Amino acid sequence: MKPAKAALTGLLAVVAALAAGHLVAAFVGLGSSPYLAVGNAAIDLTPSWLKDFAVSTFGTYDKLVLLTGMALVLAGVGVAAGLLSRTSATPGSVVAVALGVVGIAAVLSRPDVGQLSVLAPVASLAAGLYVFRYLHRESEQSGSRRDFLVTAGLAAVAGIAGQVFGSRTDVEGSRQAIGELKAATPAPEPPFNADFVKDGTPSFITGNKDFYRIDTALSVPRIRAEEWALRVHGMVERPMVLTFDELRKRELKEEVVTLTCVSNEIGGPYISTARFIGVPIGDVLREAGVKAGADQLFSTSDDGFTAGSPLDYVLERGMIAIGMNGEPLPAEHGFPARLVVPGLYGYVSATKWVTDLNVTTFEKEQGYWIPRGWATRAPIKTSSRIDRPGRMDRVRGKTVLAGTAWAQPTGVAKVEVRVDGGPWQEAELAADVSDSTWRMWRAEVDLRPGSHTAECRATDKSGFTQDQARLDPVPDGATGWHSVTFTVE
């Protein structure tokens, strides 16, 4: 067999295998697609240092980079298998079976798929092996280009059909049917002076489309509110299951809350603020009756992610949120429901697509990131950043520094800035909206033309300044203070 035909045979076999698995997964659960299952398994096995590198390097595109990298690797394996099989179909057949077994193992390891999910990787294995042997046989018998074109066309149709059928759950229709969400206890409107947008800070409230997203889901779970339920169990007197309609009929509360990711580096963008509407977790758990000795609320997402939150903390501050900025939660932010806990990093609190609340102990259960070496308790560090001027900006006229600070749940008391290592100067603070939210600041500085380096630091209302090493969740959680170098013209 000619090298070009051999390489194409292996490549098309891989494409056919992935397409068949994706098509079957559309009917037994999209998470059982071998391509996605292997990707999710790769995320689960990723060490903390590599995860931090991916987030810091690729940001919210880290999953796209992973999927693209997997596609290139699989394509390379297919091509190599084809080239090794120029005289015999055996090497390629072995590779096809090996890839199929990997897919089956990955799917069986997933906590978010049902018993029928194994059908998807089995279909993938069968399709890959059949297509490889068929094209290999036809090529040896002087098969035409038509065989390859038909195979490629069928694989494309199967893959597209799988994507279409897999996305058939009408999540947007379910969101639209919910209509307007009204809180019995609405949050006050932020005052006009809650930010310094004209000086370069973000707006106080972050729009839903701009709200940062960091999670482990390769594909966003598609759940209709009509089919969703939340199980509350464990160390409680009265276990319960709440439907979305039952949750919505409870007394809803609205809170303005700033959320931030522990992977947010100094000066990083993974922090946002929104108006969340929902039910206080404390109301639900007190109704269930928490038993003595419990110290953890262990929450589980529809996609299998888990988080463990300090029970006393969530009883006081946590919320089961169903709305965000006046509308039902967007699908990518947890629709139909998620947890929101001011003052804790998301990996121990902010479970999206939440379906299970288990009242337990830290000794019995560990959240997703804890066995990977992350801290069990993760209070948000007091921190601040400079939003303007940006790194290497050129400034003309009056020099104004502006930025953001946060210290949930204590609240920001002051922000200081200094230039070129000089004395600290207290900045002007925007209105203090809530101890659970960020706070904007600005400072005018008199600078001569040339290059300058500005730094900022925040102090919370308990007197703690961010450069003091008091809180140390692992991973780091952005220790130190932000600095930018810019030029005054």
Side-chain angles (χ1 to χ4, degrees):
M1 190 193 310
K2 293 182 178 180
K5 278 191 175 182
L8 188 57
T9 295
L11 179 61
L12 286 179
V14 169
V15 172
L18 295 178
H22 204 61
L23 177 59
V24 174
F27 299 95
V28 298
L30 195 58
S32 64
S33 169
Y35 185 52
L36 296 178
V38 171
N40 281 316
I43 291 175
D44 290 349
L45 295 173
T46 298
S48 297
W49 66 265
L50 185 55
K51 180 263 182 191
D52 291 339
F53 170 79
V55 172
S56 62
T57 305
F58 305 112
T60 55
Y61 295 102
D62 58 337
K63 299 177 184 64
L64 177 61
V65 171
L66 171 63
L67 292 174
T68 302
M70 286 175 52
L72 293 175
V73 169
L74 287 172
V77 170
V79 169
L83 292 174
L84 290 172
S85 305
R86 293 178 62 190
T87 59
S88 169
T90 300
S93 299
V94 171
V95 171
V97 171
L99 290 177
V101 170
V102 170
I104 291 172
V107 170
L108 291 177
S109 72
R110 298 302 302 158
D112 55 328
V113 295
Q115 294 181 345
L116 293 178
S117 62
V118 73
L119 293 176
V122 168
S124 183
L125 189 160
L129 184 60
Y130 173 80
V131 167
F132 180 81
R133 297 189 68 86
Y134 168 77
L135 290 178
H136 192 276
R137 183 179 66 250
E138 293 300 307
S139 295
E140 287 187 327
Q141 299 174 1
S142 301
S144 67
R145 183 182 300 176
R146 180 175 177 274
D147 296 318
F148 290 93
L149 292 176
V150 169
T151 301
L154 290 175
V157 169
I160 293 172
Q163 189 63 32
V164 170
F165 286 117
S167 303
R168 69 189 184 277
T169 303
D170 188 9
V171 174
E172 282 307 308
S174 180
R175 291 182 71 244
Q176 294 295 329
I178 291 172
E180 185 180 6
L181 292 171
K182 292 185 177 180
T185 310
E189 286 291 332
F192 73 93
N193 58 344
D195 55 43
F196 295 120
V197 171
K198 66 178 182 179
D199 291 313
T201 72
S203 59
F204 185 79
I205 298 294
T206 311
N208 289 353
K209 291 183 179 179
D210 297 324
F211 205 98
Y212 83 93
R213 179 194 164 199
I214 296 289
D215 52 52
T216 62
L218 273 179
S219 58
V220 175
R222 301 182 63 81
I223 314 166
R224 288 172 53 83
E226 298 86 344
E227 299 165 356
W228 174 87
L230 177 65
R231 181 186 177 208
V232 182
H233 63 108
M235 298 176 67
V236 295
E237 301 289 347
R238 296 169 290 279
M240 64 176 73
V241 175
L242 293 171
T243 66
F244 185 88
D245 191 52
E246 290 170 336
L247 193 65
R248 181 180 181 176
K249 288 178 179 177
R250 288 172 172 259
E251 185 171 305
L252 299 180
K253 181 180 181 181
E254 183 180 50
E255 287 190 35
V256 182
V257 178
T258 295
L259 300 181
T260 186
C261 178
V262 73
S263 296
N264 194 37
E265 294 184 340
I266 297 172
Y270 305 127
I271 178 168
S272 303
T273 298
R275 306 170 68 101
F276 290 100
I277 293 179
V279 174
I281 294 175
D283 291 356
V284 174
L285 295 186
R286 278 185 280 271
E287 183 177 320
V290 176
K291 293 182 179 179
D295 62 5
Q296 178 183 206
L297 181 65
F298 190 78
S299 54
T300 303
S301 166
D302 179 78
D303 71 345
F305 174 82
T306 57
S309 310
L311 183 61
D312 55 349
Y313 197 95
V314 295
L315 280 170
E316 179 183 356
R317 300 179 180 276
M319 170 190 287
I320 305 169
I322 60 174
M324 182 176 177
N325 289 334
E327 62 181 67
L329 290 169
E332 62 271 20
H333 288 295
F335 181 80
R338 66 169 295 169
L339 300 190
V340 173
V341 185
L344 296 179
Y345 284 119
Y347 80 90
V348 297
S349 66
T351 304
K352 302 175 190 174
W353 314 289
V354 63
T355 57
D356 190 280
L357 296 179
N358 178 18
V359 179
T360 181
T361 66
F362 283 106
E363 183 178 357
K364 290 181 180 178
E365 299 284 356
Q366 289 189 323
Y368 180 89
W369 286 110
I370 309 308
R372 294 163 173 81
W374 292 30
T376 302
R377 299 171 186 267
I380 292 175
K381 289 188 174 184
T382 300
S383 192
S384 60
R385 74 178 186 208
I386 300 170
D387 293 307
R388 184 180 291 177
R391 181 174 173 268
M392 306 308 291
D393 275 1
R394 305 185 75 86
V395 180
R396 294 181 179 179
K398 180 177 64 176
T399 305
V400 177
L401 308 178
T404 312
W406 54 96
Q408 304 103 309
T410 310
V412 175
K414 70 177 179 179
V415 173
E416 298 168 288
V417 299
R418 70 178 178 184
V419 180
D420 301 331
W424 288 104
Q425 168 188 335
E426 191 164 342
E428 175 188 354
L429 293 177
D432 190 2
V433 176
S434 165
D435 291 343
S436 296
T437 63
W438 56 11
R439 196 168 183 186
M440 311 305 178
W441 59 267
R442 68 183 297 276
E444 295 184 13
V445 290
D446 185 16
L447 300 176
R448 295 178 178 179
S451 178
H452 300 277
T453 298
E455 300 168 287
C456 66
R457 68 180 184 185
T459 301
D460 68 21
K461 293 180 180 178
S462 69
F464 172 73
T465 301
Q466 71 181 74
D467 55 318
Q468 297 172 263
R470 188 180 69 180
L471 304 177
D472 190 25
V474 179
D476 180 63
T479 295
W481 56 66
H482 190 210
S483 67
V484 296
T485 299
F486 58 97
T487 300
V488 175
E489 296 183 336

